[in-house]
Amino acid sequence: MPQATLIDGKAIAAALRAQIATEIAGIKAVSGLVPGLHVVLVGDDPASRVYVASKEKLAVEVGMNSVAHRLPADTSQETLLATLAGLNADDAVDGILVQLPLPRHLDTAAVIDAIDPAKDVDGLHPLNAGRLAGGKVDPEHLLVPCTPLGSMLLLRSVLPSLSGLEAVVIGRSELVGRPVAQLLLQADCTVTIAHSRTKDLPDVVRRADIVVAAVGRPHFVKGDWIKPGATVIDVGINRMPDGKLAGDVDFAEAVEAAGAITPVPGGVGPMTIACLLRNTLTAFKARRGG
Amino acid sequence: MPQATLIDGKAIAAALRAQIATEIAGIKAVSGLVPGLHVVLVGDDPASRVYVASKEKLAVEVGMNSVAHRLPADTSQETLLATLAGLNADDAVDGILVQLPLPRHLDTAAVIDAIDPAKDVDGLHPLNAGRLAGGKVDPEHLLVPCTPLGSMLLLRSVLPSLSGLEAVVIGRSELVGRPVAQLLLQADCTVTIAHSRTKDLPDVVRRADIVVAAVGRPHFVKGDWIKPGATVIDVGINRMPDGKLAGDVDFAEAVEAAGAITPVPGGVGPMTIACLLRNTLTAFKARRGG
């Protein structure tokens, strides 16, 4: 059997970061300015600490000014909102990211609503979600959630045109499924959103030229659900009992049917932070020119 | 051949208006307050004048305070924005609707952005679109575009549960196709959005338990595209050379295949203003209680 092309997210993310670094160097040479990314971390969740450290490190590597605001776990809603108000008002702050999940006593929706939409580099503010959903603004000029944006860049690395292709998105989360469906629609795909209530999910997935799996269940999508030659983007990152990472797609099966597929790890994962940096640069250019 | 059930939009809209009138009478009896709907009309487009007059008349019939602000065709962007700022600041104004289309010299997106989202009874502000797209707020508590909302009420009049049904939306406009897809997803349908770039549109439509046609082309959807027993919502209102109105669906053919179908006229059309009144009441209750 022919095996699918592996979509190398690690390499594509590195190339994107290199491109961002070049652009920032050019901006700095002309204006002396560099984009500033500010990450707000409340509490000491170990996984969140690791993510924030990675974001800081890669932001610095591409030449950004990177600041992490580490607040104690018992930070009040008022204090957090005051921190955000300060960052909103600071012209040197281009991107604001509040690391999720927040401790339970905080109102996440109100916190996200309090971020200046022009600095919302996670693309989660409802104003940014609404502009994406309206379909009138080129997503290039929007702050779009990072994982969906990364998924699209991976798709475009193997499919020069997406127009008219049947895309099936499995999962309808606010962070991934819903925005990636919007981006696929914007790219002129015929888009189906499937989810836990979908009947005959295998049959629905079998229609797809493009499958985006974002369900959070390891090996959920089977190889015989994949139309031969389809492109498969596996957003799932599930930690298995043996400590290894597994995607939402049964890779060993799907790689035999797909035309191209992302591995886990090394597929969508590395794209997420690269797209956060891309959004920070986009926000910088929109606010400060360059 | 068995013929489809006709979905009587005129009767369902009248029942909705009667229910709104009863609720307003109750609020008035307790508080002395009634919802205020303010429609802003720029210029003298004859069709827009007719629509605005209908909205005023029906708003008064359900017991609302109804005000039309008629501005000359050469109104500047600044003047229009100042008008909206005044309405935003006026506590007696619950709903603000800017009749579209605006004259070409005006920036429609900036005008809609200037409406207080809490008074945006057309549901077009990107903040409202983003809340709908996020999927976390019950649409009952949102200001949702009126025609999609009306389409959902018609669907629910014949289908007690939409969960797991395959819905195909034909058309991806900001006013109809996109928001109706969001509402169908929220109702747990498996949702496909088809459009001008969709390949094999008849085959895509044949999958559908629910078809929503919003393309603006008379008789575009043929009878043999309809799965036997499907529910068909025809959003199109096209004026034919003979002066009659025609939907986007070939009604004479589709009525033989569908299980239920909306006629044109008398289907979705009457629901739109009724849902505008419903949104105005929703906005009133959210802002002022009751």
Side-chain angles (χ1 to χ4, degrees), chain A residues 113 125-127 129-136 163-166 172 174 178 182 185-186 188-195 197-199 204 207, chain B residues 113 125-127 129-136 163-166 172 174 178 182 185-186 188-195 197-199 204 207:
Chain A
D113 281 5
H125 193 287
L127 201 66
R131 292 208 176 106
L132 177 62
K136 283 195 174 158
S163 179
L165 297 181
E166 285 245 16
R172 51 176 164 169
E174 188 174 11
R178 288 167 183 266
Q182 300 285 356
L185 181 61
Q186 213 54 25
D188 291 334
C189 292
T190 301
V191 182
T192 298
I193 308 180
H195 46 78
R197 304 296 179 85
T198 292
K199 291 173 187 160
V204 171
R207 304 169 186 162
Chain B
D113 281 5
H125 193 286
L127 201 66
R131 292 207 176 107
L132 178 62
K136 284 196 176 156
S163 179
L165 297 181
E166 285 244 15
R172 53 175 163 171
E174 188 175 13
R178 288 167 182 266
Q182 300 284 356
L185 181 62
Q186 213 54 25
D188 291 334
C189 292
T190 300
V191 182
T192 299
I193 309 180
H195 45 78
R197 303 296 178 86
T198 293
K199 290 172 186 160
V204 171
R207 304 169 186 162

Side-chain angles (χ1 to χ4, degrees), chain A:
Chain A
M1 284 286 285
Q3 283 227 333
T5 301
L6 289 193
I7 303 175
D8 186 348
K10 216 169 154 182
I12 294 168
L16 176 56
R17 291 198 309 272
Q19 184 193 319
I20 292 167
T22 303
E23 201 171 337
I24 289 176
I27 291 168
K28 189 177 180 182
V30 171
S31 66
L33 299 173
V34 298
L37 172 61
H38 289 242
V39 178
V40 178
L41 173 61
V42 183
D44 46 12
D45 178 68
S48 290
R49 288 175 74 152
V50 171
Y51 293 139
V52 169
S54 300
K55 288 168 185 174
E56 281 192 277
K57 176 173 166 283
L58 293 173
V60 169
E61 273 183 26
V62 298
M64 290 185 182
N65 187 12
S66 170
V67 182
H69 303 261
R70 293 183 171 81
L71 305 179
D74 64 353
T75 298
S76 70
Q77 182 86 5
E78 292 64 37
T79 301
L80 180 53
L81 294 182
T83 301
L84 293 175
L87 296 174
N88 288 343
D90 183 346
D91 194 49
V93 176
D94 296 290
I96 303 170
L97 180 153
V98 177
Q99 184 68 39
L100 301 179
L102 287 170
R104 281 162 164 266
H105 70 280
L106 295 169
D107 178 348
T108 301
V111 168
I112 289 171
D113 281 5
I115 298 171
D116 179 347
K119 300 184 176 188
D120 166 41
V121 286
D122 245 355
L124 294 179
H125 193 287
L127 201 66
N128 287 321
R131 292 208 176 106
L132 177 62
K136 283 195 174 158
V137 185
D138 181 345
E140 279 286 312
H141 300 295
L142 285 175
L143 297 176
V144 171
C146 301
T147 301
L149 182 59
S151 300
M152 294 302 292
L153 294 175
L154 295 182
L155 269 180
R156 290 187 188 282
S157 76
V158 289
L159 294 171
S161 169
L162 305 181
S163 179
L165 297 181
E166 285 245 16
V168 173
V169 177
I170 316 173
R172 51 176 164 169
S173 70
E174 188 174 11
L175 262 74
V176 183
R178 288 167 183 266
V180 85
Q182 300 285 356
L183 290 169
L184 289 162
L185 181 61
Q186 213 54 25
D188 291 334
C189 292
T190 301
V191 182
T192 298
I193 308 180
H195 46 78
S196 56
R197 304 296 179 85
T198 292
K199 291 173 187 160
D200 301 320
L201 182 62
D203 277 350
V204 171
V205 177
R206 277 184 199 110
R207 304 169 186 162
D209 303 307
I210 294 167
V211 179
V212 179
V215 281
R217 293 170 62 179
H219 305 153
F220 179 72
V221 176
K222 306 302 175 197
D224 67 354
W225 301 11
I226 306 298
K227 178 160 97 174
T231 302
V232 179
I233 304 292
D234 187 350
V235 178
I237 301 182
N238 307 286
R239 181 75 62 181
M240 303 301 283
D242 64 3
K244 290 190 181 157
L245 296 178
D248 291 348
V249 177
D250 188 320
F251 183 85
E253 291 179 12
V255 73
E256 302 290 336
I261 186 168
T262 59
V264 177
V268 175
M271 295 301 291
T272 298
I273 297 183
C275 287
L276 171 68
L277 303 177
R278 179 266 192 199
N279 274 349
T280 304
L281 180 57
T282 300
F284 172 92
K285 291 193 283 187
R287 285 185 55 253
R288 305 209 255 176

Side-chain angles (χ1 to χ4, degrees), chain B residues 72-152:
Chain B
D74 63 354
T75 298
S76 69
Q77 182 84 5
E78 292 65 37
T79 302
L80 180 53
L81 293 183
T83 301
L84 294 174
L87 296 173
N88 286 343
D90 184 346
D91 193 50
V93 175
D94 296 290
I96 302 170
L97 180 152
V98 176
Q99 183 68 39
L100 301 179
L102 288 170
R104 282 163 162 265
H105 69 280
L106 295 169
D107 178 348
T108 301
V111 168
I112 289 171
D113 281 5
I115 298 171
D116 179 348
K119 300 185 176 187
D120 166 41
V121 285
D122 246 355
L124 294 179
H125 193 286
L127 201 66
N128 288 320
R131 292 207 176 107
L132 178 62
K136 284 196 176 156
V137 186
D138 180 344
E140 279 286 311
H141 300 293
L142 285 176
L143 298 176
V144 171
C146 302
T147 301
L149 182 59
S151 300
M152 293 302 292

